[in-house]
Amino acid sequence: MTESEKKIKVTRKTRPKIGVYVCHCGINIAGVVDVYALKDYALSLPDVVLAREYKFMCSDNGQNIIKEDIEAGLINRVIVAACSPRMHEPTFRLVCKEAGLNQFLFEQANIREHATWVNMNDSEGAYKISQDHIRMAVAKARMLLPLEVQKVSVEPSCLIIGAGIAGMNSAIDLAKEGYKVYLVERTPTIGGHMAQLDKTFPTMDCSACIITPRMVDVAREKNIELLTYSEVVDVAGYVGNFEVTIMKKPHYVDQEACTGCGTCVESCPVSVGNEFELGLAPRKAIYIPFPQAVPGEYTIDMENCIQCGICARPDVCEPDAIRYDDKPEYLKVKVGTIIIATGWDPYDPTPLKQYGYGRYPNVITAFQMERLLSSYGPVLGKPVRPSDLKAPHSIAFLQCVGSRNFREGGNKYCSRVCCMYATKQARQYKEKHPESDVYIFYMDIRAFGRGYEEFYESAAENYGINYIRGRIAEVWEDKDHNIVIRAEDTLMQTPIELTVDLFVLSIGLEAMADADKISSLLSVQRSEDGFFMEAHPKLRPVDTLTDGIFIAGVAQGPKDIPDTVAQAKGAASSASVLMAQGEVEIEPYYSVVLDHLCSGCRTCQSLCPFGAIDFDEFKKIAVVNSALCKGCGTCVSACPSGAMVQNHFTDIQLNSIINFAVKQPPIENGGK
Amino acid sequence: MSEQKNWRYAFFLGCVIPNRYPMIERSIRDVFEELGAELLDMPGASCCPAPGVFRGFHIPTWLVIAARNIAIAEELGVSLVTGCNGCYGTLRDAWWDLEHNSEEKKNVNKLLAKIGKEYKGNFEPKHVIQALYLDMGKEYIRGFIKHKFKDLKVAVHYGCHIVKPSDKRPWDGEYENPTFLDEIVELTGATSIEYKEKFMCCGAGGAVRTAVKEVAADFTREKLVNMREAGADIIINCCPFCHLQLDLGQLEVNNFYKDIIGEPFHIPVIYITQLLGVAMGMDPSRLGLIKHHDLKGVSPFISIQPFLDMVKEQLI
Amino acid sequence: MSDNIEKYIKRKVYKGTTSKIAQKFVDAGLEKLRACINCGTCTGSCPSGRRTAYRTRSALRRALTGDESVLSDIDIWLCSTCYYCYERCPRDIPVTDMIIKLRNIAVEEGYILDSHFDLASSIFYETGHGVPANGENNKKWRDLRESYGLPPLPPTVHSYPEAVKECQTLMKEVGFRALLDNAKKLKDKRKIAEEKEENQKEGK
């Protein structure tokens, strides 16, 4: 559809000529109410000059009907009575625009979601509600005035929070497209949780082998500014123009001077639990997270450092790289888009006392098992059990620990990866110890991805892994710290009691413990399950409801590596669409100050949740930053002088709607 | 020791305590008196009614009879306290259900009106252990301890209904590994020993004992085997039905399962207030520990003489 | 020939009929029964199940699928209501309450053990106690009470006959008496039918 040359001029004085289009929406609306009667009803309302009905107003034909009426000069206001404006408001607005009518002279009456869909068995009731909605739309349409969208430019740069496999992939794609990327990671190294994995299913690729090339790519990419051991502490602004403050945490080691010799680590007297090794091994207060860390930087963990001064001695640190007086640095950057790729935390099974985690030494999580299996882990890939450091002859895995749990403190969702990672770990152990007995206790085996079912079949047929359908009820340990398991083999309808050397809990994935910090920093919502909420679960999986901010990876919900990478690339693509366009339209719902009425009390400024109101010291009146304003209406209702007007939702428009809603207007034209 | 009565409760007796193990009633009455708590009698209280049997037969009957019992305590203006897990389970669960379902509460009161009673729900039903541990507190009770055991190994048996359903109990949802009863036991200087399946059911409840005695006895057999293996000197409990099952049931186990248990069992079964009372320096006669009769075929069925000997050796 | 038929031919096929039992659960607000995914945590936790033929999960599965034989199964009376299943069910189903409801339905259909029936109809209904101390047979228990310095009868229904009447009134009004009478009728009918069948078999 090409845009019309002729632009229809509409002012406050122009008489409204409203066209009402009632959509059948197939049987969604027409199957419940009489759309023809609604059309006639619409025609009887003030200032309505024509009314039509059509099967699918959103179709090309439907849209054409409106376009033709506008171009013929018959109407200067358009109402479509159909679905929710969240579905097709943009569609019909575009039609108006292309026909030469200002797109904000359009109003949509929702007679589907708000009338027929919720009253499917009450035709009469649905009809009355539909009438109400059409009447209210007419009331507003009569008072609508033309508005212009704002165009703001979009900075060609992106902030990516989190440098795991998702963040890194988004960063590389965007950087290659030519955009500047700030990749912020709060631990000292990139790689995320994937660096802690040994092998990946179903290919049994070594995780470090497939991720380290990506890590090196990230380090090499000129367009990526890598900010490890850093955190985002403030975000202001709006889509295309985010002002971000990043805190670079002090390493207490001069990275320029440091040669990476590692002598400091050997000499450090302080040992603490190693987070990377999930508590299975120690690290010193001065440390590098793991050998292949990128960047290969040493850091002092000041919380545990006793400042003994040994590492700073010239015979220990020859290049003299230790800096106890290091301070955090703050960096302010301006970016056009943001991608949240903050990943996940493992579920902590300590509260599930029936499984003995934290009480019996030979109960570990699968994540810890992963480190035991890892060739650069604490036991160099030869798993042993904690109580006697001997290789277990028998291992039992329990699936769905912390997941699919509707109890208080449990997560209702399925964590998606555990069936496969348990099968993988079981297979790895069987490869190392073919004579061992490995059991997987499950409720369901979810092997949904490519190659997954085949992997599962092979685990049982070729590797002899025992799959027992029954969720373990309780365990305890015997005199030798073996774990005695009680469950029901539901397929045999028999209770079983099984003794194993090692018990592995297949824990689920959870949203990061401090996800709420990111949530409030960026004003993005989280779903009930704690993960960041996508704009639409089916159609907008990488967008958030905040323009310009995207999500990728497990931050949006549990998923495996293929899906994570796909989503990361999707988020990069969505971000680059915005940045490639170079500018973005912002809806003109902002509020406007009526200068002559403003008394300068600043109530509005103190209440604005988006910091969109400034104060003009000379004129002593409030000023709205229209790009920051999200049109929430708080200032309008708070202003004691009535000096705030909100575009597209003025008092006059709203009062008109209310009046028409509660009383029937006179049928003849001209009623006001 | 305070002269004032700091706490007042309506004493709900139930059936097993007054009618089969009156020594438990004796010990509760006297220990509470010593601790400064007043126990009021509940005239006309009936069977709670027992949760396993009567709730299993007809939930509405169970609910209305329980509500009647609670109403008797309400008329006295205090919370009721019971020494039985089963009664606690019934009265507390009934109170909880009625407080969370106004329809049910209305219907129950319609029935109670026919006998001139009303259930209001303004006092929570409590257990003797709840009164000791949460109302009075360990520190308060510690002040009454006069003598401490030097070497008494106690197999503590909680039973089931004192901790479950955990959402309707006052223990912050803890049911896998509670410690409150162990803590009270250890106030007396005794050691609460670890034993396999410490929190397993005794087998009496849920209508099992009245359905098939041998099944209940097999639960008990398993518990006794574990207690013996861990070296228990005595068993401590806070429920008369568990007490009965571990005491009379011990005889039944020795009979039914003589072929698989080896030596017959003879572990004394003691109620918590009896143990607490001796540590508080009270005369064992006030605690139902001394026989003042020569009746045959009455409780206790397993001799508690070994315990009385230890009391003599270690405390006095 | 006919021996083999009896031995080997078992025409037990699940016809997938709608479960009347499940509907009773739904009507009583216990539709959580339908959320069961058969994970087996309940049976795995059950102290009875590992020494008897009682299977918590199967009992509820039979209720859900309408296998009415679960109502006459003695196994549902071997649950000691320890509540572990209730505490551990991942679908947050109040499992023990479900078993209790199943027992209620069984009693409605007249499936109640003789020992339980006597306990309810004779002992509880007549005395107000489940374990009484009145009557000739219980003299030793009254003597035992006195030996501990307690009154021979406790201040319960045993000392207040009008309280016993109150309980009986309630039990009548709430339908307990009628339930028990009906159960007795059904039990007697079944007993007669069984005896007839036995006689016929022996006659053969």
Side-chain angles (χ1 to χ4, degrees):
Chain A
M1 229 191 261
T2 52
E3 204 163 308
S4 176
E5 289 299 311
K6 199 165 57 150
K7 296 258 183 286
I8 299 174
K9 187 162 183 276
V10 170
T11 67
R12 207 180 292 269
K13 294 201 179 64
T14 315
R15 172 137 193 165
K17 294 189 283 185
I18 304 175
V20 177
Y21 300 86
V22 182
C23 184
H24 295 217
C25 195
I27 56 164
N28 282 305
I29 296 176
V32 180
V33 295
D34 181 349
V35 290
Y36 298 94
L38 276 178
K39 180 199 70 172
D40 290 338
Y41 173 71
L43 209 47
S44 72
L45 294 169
D47 292 328
V48 174
V49 300
L50 69 78
R52 302 196 198 281
E53 46 64 43
Y54 187 65
K55 256 203 157 60
F56 295 103
M57 284 308 302
C58 55
S59 64
D60 274 354
N61 276 343
Q63 292 181 44
N64 261 328
I65 296 174
I66 302 175
K67 188 167 186 234
E68 281 164 11
D69 287 341
I70 297 175
E71 285 175 342
L74 296 173
I75 54 175
N76 59 24
R77 302 282 195 283
V78 174
I79 292 176
V80 173
C83 51
S84 160
R86 289 185 76 82
M87 302 298 298
H88 281 301
E89 188 173 60
T91 312
F92 298 120
R93 279 201 178 149
L94 202 55
V95 170
C96 295
K97 185 170 166 203
E98 285 169 353
L101 183 67
N102 183 286
Q103 56 177 310
F104 294 96
L105 295 173
F106 165 78
E107 187 68 16
Q108 187 154 346
N110 184 347
I111 60 171
R112 190 182 73 174
E113 280 86 336
H114 282 183
T116 61
W117 268 5
V118 292
N119 292 291
M120 285 182 129
N121 298 319
D122 177 7
S123 172
E124 204 182 304
Y127 183 78
K128 286 208 184 92
I129 297 176
S130 303
Q131 284 182 309
D132 289 348
H133 279 295
I134 292 174
R135 193 168 68 251
M136 291 193 289
V138 168
K140 181 154 181 201
R142 301 171 75 222
M143 304 299 171
L144 284 174
L145 290 171
L147 294 167
E148 293 306 322
V149 286
Q150 300 180 97
K151 284 194 167 74
V152 293
S153 63
V154 177
E155 281 284 324
S157 57
C158 181
L159 166 73
I160 299 182
I161 309 178
I165 186 70
M168 292 195 299
N169 270 290
S170 297
I172 291 168
D173 278 9
L174 284 172
K176 288 215 166 93
E177 282 181 81
Y179 298 109
K180 167 94 183 167
V181 176
Y182 298 95
L183 183 55
V184 176
E185 167 58 45
R186 75 164 161 198
T187 68
T189 176
I190 61 177
H193 285 303
M194 203 174 147
Q196 292 171 292
L197 304 181
D198 182 35
K199 302 234 191 299
T200 56
F201 55 78
T203 50
M204 296 305 248
D205 280 313
C206 149
S207 181
C209 307
I210 56 177
I211 201 179
T212 33
R214 294 265 91 181
M215 289 162 70
V216 167
D217 282 347
V218 163
R220 280 221 203 96
E221 256 301 329
K222 279 194 281 295
N223 279 335
I224 298 179
E225 188 165 328
L226 185 53
L227 298 157
T228 53
Y229 210 44
S230 304
E231 284 185 40
V232 173
V233 293
D234 192 54
V235 177
Y238 50 95
V239 57
N241 303 272
F242 294 108
E243 285 173 19
V244 182
T245 310
I246 300 168
M247 173 177 75
K248 293 165 74 167
K249 299 188 282 197
H251 285 270
Y252 305 100
V253 174
D254 183 337
Q255 301 303 334
E256 306 287 304
C258 171
T259 59
C261 70
T263 316
C264 52
V265 179
E266 286 165 26
S267 331
C268 176
V270 178
S271 251
V272 291
N274 187 337
E275 306 90 340
F276 187 80
E277 302 293 1
L278 301 164
L280 294 172
R283 65 156 169 83
K284 299 295 182 69
I286 186 165
Y287 69 104
I288 186 169
F290 59 96
Q292 309 94 316
V294 168
E297 292 176 349
Y298 284 75
T299 309
I300 297 182
D301 166 16
M302 246 331 149
E303 269 193 53
N304 289 299
C305 169
I306 55 173
Q307 300 218 9
C308 62
I310 293 178
C311 57
R313 281 181 0 206
D315 59 315
V316 176
C317 182
E318 273 188 55
D320 184 26
I322 307 294
R323 303 275 177 275
Y324 289 128
D325 54 358
D326 219 354
K327 297 255 177 304
E329 248 181 74
Y330 291 89
L331 181 63
K332 273 191 158 61
V333 299
K334 194 157 185 212
V335 294
T337 52
I338 301 178
I339 297 180
I340 305 172
T342 46
W344 51 279
D345 275 344
Y347 174 82
D348 175 10
T350 311
L352 297 173
K353 292 191 179 178
Q354 61 265 46
Y355 300 141
Y357 182 74
R359 193 167 164 215
Y360 307 133
N362 291 327
V363 180
I364 61 174
T365 66
F367 210 22
Q368 289 173 314
M369 182 61 162
E370 196 69 33
R371 292 314 304 149
L372 293 176
L373 287 163
S374 169
S375 50
Y376 58 92
V379 290
L380 301 178
K382 293 185 174 20
V384 293
R385 65 176 198 161
S387 68
D388 55 11
L389 299 180
K390 293 213 177 73
H393 294 301
S394 53
I395 304 180
F397 287 82
L398 172 60
Q399 301 307 107
C400 307
V401 176
S403 307
R404 301 184 66 190
N405 189 330
F406 282 64
R407 306 196 69 90
E408 184 106 23
N411 296 318
K412 294 182 185 170
Y413 55 85
C414 163
S415 287
R416 222 170 141 104
V417 298
C418 325
C419 286
M420 293 310 295
Y421 78 51
T423 299
K424 173 201 77 174
Q425 290 185 343
R427 189 175 123 158
Q428 281 181 278
Y429 196 76
K430 282 291 260 187
E431 280 171 350
K432 296 176 206 278
H433 296 276
E435 77 293 347
S436 64
D437 291 318
V438 181
Y439 304 89
I440 298 183
F441 286 83
Y442 70 96
M443 299 201 282
D444 297 285
I445 293 292
R446 295 178 168 182
F448 55 90
R450 262 188 116 168
Y452 290 7
E453 183 68 24
E454 298 91 319
F455 190 73
Y456 166 35
E457 195 273 352
S458 168
E461 186 191 328
N462 300 113
Y463 292 86
I465 293 159
N466 296 298
Y467 284 88
I468 300 183
R469 190 184 181 281
R471 182 172 176 268
I472 294 174
E474 60 193 5
V475 310
W476 68 92
E477 63 171 7
D478 67 13
K479 285 194 283 338
D480 303 313
H481 297 294
N482 298 321
I483 302 296
V484 186
I485 288 168
R486 277 222 182 102
E488 182 197 5
D489 182 334
T490 60
L491 297 175
M492 299 297 291
Q493 298 192 63
T494 324
I496 48 178
E497 209 170 284
L498 185 70
T499 304
V500 294
D501 289 354
L502 181 65
F503 182 33
V504 182
L505 300 174
S506 293
I507 45 168
L509 277 48
E510 281 190 326
M512 299 215 80
D514 54 354
D516 56 337
K517 246 198 267 166
I518 302 276
S519 218
S520 44
L521 261 181
L522 297 169
S523 300
V524 291
Q525 291 159 291
R526 298 193 291 149
S527 306
E528 189 202 347
D529 57 17
F531 294 98
F532 292 105
M533 194 168 89
E534 63 281 289
H536 188 280
K538 288 196 164 8
L539 299 175
R540 297 178 66 197
V542 296
D543 297 13
T544 63
L545 287 168
T546 308
D547 291 333
I549 303 184
F550 306 91
I551 40 179
V554 180
Q556 183 266 344
K559 53 179 69 71
D560 52 10
I561 294 168
D563 286 349
T564 299
V565 173
Q567 205 178 48
K569 285 169 161 294
S573 167
S574 289
S576 70
V577 162
L578 266 184
M579 296 190 287
Q581 288 174 328
E583 63 177 17
V584 72
E585 288 185 353
I586 300 187
E587 284 176 323
Y589 296 154
Y590 53 86
S591 23
V592 175
V593 180
L594 298 175
D595 292 7
H596 58 288
L597 290 176
C598 176
S599 63
C601 70
R602 301 170 88 155
T603 306
C604 54
Q605 188 182 34
S606 63
L607 290 171
C608 178
F610 302 99
I613 303 185
D614 298 316
F615 191 67
D616 184 332
E617 291 290 348
F618 292 112
K619 290 202 217 161
K620 298 271 189 268
I621 54 170
V623 178
V624 176
N625 177 334
S626 56
L628 278 172
C629 173
K630 301 241 190 273
C632 71
T634 306
C635 56
V636 177
S637 52
C639 177
S641 321
M644 269 302 189
V645 173
Q646 181 156 353
N647 282 341
H648 210 62
F649 296 96
T650 64
D651 283 356
I652 295 174
Q653 288 163 354
L654 295 174
N655 281 327
S656 175
I657 294 175
I658 295 169
N659 280 331
F660 272 48
V662 299
K663 50 186 185 200
Q664 292 280 356
I667 300 298
E668 69 274 5
N669 277 343
K672 207 179 184 157
Chain B
M1 220 176 301
S2 172
E3 290 299 84
Q4 267 222 314
K5 294 297 181 194
N6 298 321
W7 298 277
R8 294 173 82 228
Y9 304 101
F11 190 12
F12 182 81
L13 291 168
C15 303
V16 178
I17 286 181
N19 300 338
R20 294 291 181 274
Y21 281 82
M23 61 287 281
I24 296 179
E25 180 181 339
R26 178 83 269 150
S27 71
I28 294 176
R29 285 190 188 279
D30 279 41
V31 165
F32 267 57
E33 189 186 327
E34 203 66 17
L35 290 171
E38 189 181 348
L39 291 176
L40 306 168
D41 282 338
M42 290 177 59
S46 68
C47 178
C48 50
V53 281
F54 301 114
R55 185 161 181 255
F57 302 154
H58 195 224
I59 295 169
T61 302
W62 166 86
L63 194 58
V64 73
I65 299 289
R68 176 182 171 275
N69 283 321
I70 300 174
I72 295 175
E74 285 176 3
E75 279 165 27
L76 298 167
V78 290
S79 267
L80 63 81
V81 73
T82 174
C84 171
N85 288 0
C87 301
Y88 184 53
T90 280
L91 296 167
R92 197 159 169 102
D93 289 351
W95 167 73
W96 191 279
D97 289 350
L98 289 170
E99 290 311 293
H100 287 82
N101 189 331
S102 48
E103 240 345 273
E104 250 176 30
K105 196 173 181 174
K106 244 191 284 180
N107 291 337
V108 156
N109 273 324
K110 259 194 237 153
L111 289 165
L112 289 177
K114 295 191 201 271
I115 56 165
K117 284 205 158 38
E118 191 192 348
Y119 163 90
K120 294 200 188 71
N122 42 5
F123 293 102
E124 74 171 284
K126 296 186 180 183
H127 191 288
V128 159
I129 300 299
Q130 184 181 354
L132 292 174
Y133 192 84
L134 292 178
D135 290 354
M136 300 180 201
K138 268 165 55 185
E139 290 319 303
Y140 176 77
I141 298 174
R142 205 192 296 274
F144 289 83
I145 304 288
K146 292 219 168 50
H147 317 288
K148 281 186 152 182
F149 288 94
K150 297 180 194 54
D151 180 22
L152 178 66
K153 295 195 200 51
V154 175
V156 174
H157 171 81
Y158 279 75
C160 303
H161 296 242
I162 187 156
V163 283
K164 290 167 278 180
S166 66
D167 50 338
K168 304 177 187 174
R169 297 291 176 271
W171 314 110
D172 292 327
E174 179 59 61
Y175 70 91
E176 292 279 358
N177 241 307
T179 57
F180 53 85
L181 189 53
D182 304 283
E183 291 174 47
I184 294 178
V185 164
E186 298 205 324
L187 284 176
T188 69
T191 310
S192 167
I193 57 169
E194 283 296 313
Y195 64 95
K196 193 168 160 221
E197 296 260 44
K198 177 168 164 177
F199 298 98
M200 186 181 131
C201 175
C202 70
V208 176
R209 186 182 164 82
T210 43
V212 185
K213 243 194 214 126
E214 291 85 336
V215 172
D218 197 63
F219 281 65
T220 314
R221 180 194 58 77
E222 189 174 328
K223 289 224 74 158
L224 290 168
V225 165
N226 294 332
M227 290 168 172
R228 180 160 70 183
E229 199 175 299
D233 294 322
I234 64 169
I235 300 169
I236 288 291
N237 66 77
C238 57
C239 168
F241 210 20
C242 296
H243 193 114
L244 185 154
Q245 186 60 33
L246 292 161
D247 178 44
L248 174 58
Q250 204 168 146
L251 280 188
E252 291 166 355
V253 168
N254 289 340
N255 177 26
F256 293 140
Y257 297 110
K258 60 162 119 36
D259 294 333
I260 57 172
I261 58 170
E263 276 295 306
F265 293 101
H266 45 76
I267 313 176
V269 183
I270 308 291
Y271 190 81
I272 178 63
T273 42
Q274 295 180 304
L275 179 74
L276 196 55
V278 293
M280 283 164 62
M282 292 166 68
D283 180 346
S285 274
R286 297 175 68 195
L287 304 168
L289 288 168
I290 309 293
K291 239 196 239 197
H292 293 294
H293 64 82
D294 52 11
L295 298 163
K296 297 274 179 292
V298 291
S299 50
F301 294 92
I302 297 289
S303 168
I304 60 166
Q305 194 55 48
F307 173 61
L308 295 174
D309 294 338
M310 291 179 116
V311 169
K312 212 186 290 184
E313 286 162 31
Q314 297 186 30
L315 293 193
I316 299 159
Chain C
M1 261 284 276
S2 64
D3 274 347
N4 276 350
I5 293 176
E6 175 133 8
K7 218 161 109 177
Y8 295 110
I9 301 297
K10 315 230 174 269
R11 301 182 204 282
K12 189 163 181 190
V13 175
Y14 170 49
K15 297 259 200 273
T17 50
T18 33
S19 170
K20 283 186 270 184
I21 306 177
Q23 191 54 51
K24 290 196 178 167
F25 274 80
V26 173
D27 292 339
L30 294 170
E31 61 274 0
K32 258 291 197 185
L33 176 71
R34 303 189 287 205
C36 174
I37 45 172
N38 284 278
C39 71
T41 305
C42 48
T43 309
S45 301
C46 183
S48 179
R50 59 178 186 271
R51 70 192 82 243
T52 63
Y54 169 57
R55 301 284 176 267
T56 320
R57 182 191 58 82
S58 302
L60 293 182
R61 180 89 191 141
R62 287 158 80 188
L64 187 61
T65 55
D67 175 2
E68 311 237 329
S69 72
V70 72
L71 299 175
S72 53
D73 203 334
I74 192 183
D75 291 340
I76 65 172
W77 297 96
L78 298 181
C79 157
S80 69
T81 67
C82 77
Y83 276 92
Y84 269 116
C85 51
Y86 174 109
E87 294 290 341
R88 293 185 180 150
C89 172
R91 278 288 170 101
D92 208 14
I93 299 170
V95 184
T96 315
D97 292 346
M98 301 290 179
I99 298 293
I100 294 288
K101 179 67 184 169
L102 197 53
R103 287 181 178 180
N104 272 220
I105 298 172
V107 174
E108 274 169 34
E109 304 286 320
Y111 293 107
I112 179 171
L113 297 178
D114 288 339
S115 57
H116 287 158
F117 181 83
D118 293 337
L119 171 65
S121 183
S122 308
I123 303 175
F124 181 48
Y125 188 81
E126 297 302 328
T127 71
H129 270 295
V131 184
N134 58 359
E136 246 332 287
N137 295 339
N138 292 319
K139 181 156 192 316
K140 65 182 181 188
W141 299 110
R142 298 196 292 279
D143 291 343
L144 186 64
R145 282 184 61 80
E146 278 188 299
S147 82
Y148 290 113
L150 298 165
L153 284 174
T156 61
V157 279
H158 275 339
S159 302
Y160 295 87
E162 63 274 16
V164 179
K165 293 225 165 31
E166 282 181 12
C167 293
Q168 287 170 342
T169 304
L170 287 177
M171 286 193 249
K172 278 200 222 106
E173 291 289 334
V174 79
F176 193 48
R177 186 70 261 170
L179 176 74
L180 291 174
D181 294 339
N182 184 49
K184 178 112 183 27
K185 236 197 321 208
L186 292 170
K187 270 166 79 75
D188 289 343
K189 230 201 286 191
R190 277 189 202 114
K191 215 182 251 165
I192 295 172
E194 266 172 38
E195 281 166 12
K196 222 200 241 167
E197 215 184 294
E198 279 300 312
N199 294 336
Q200 280 185 337
K201 261 208 208 121
E202 274 165 28
K204 244 197 189 127

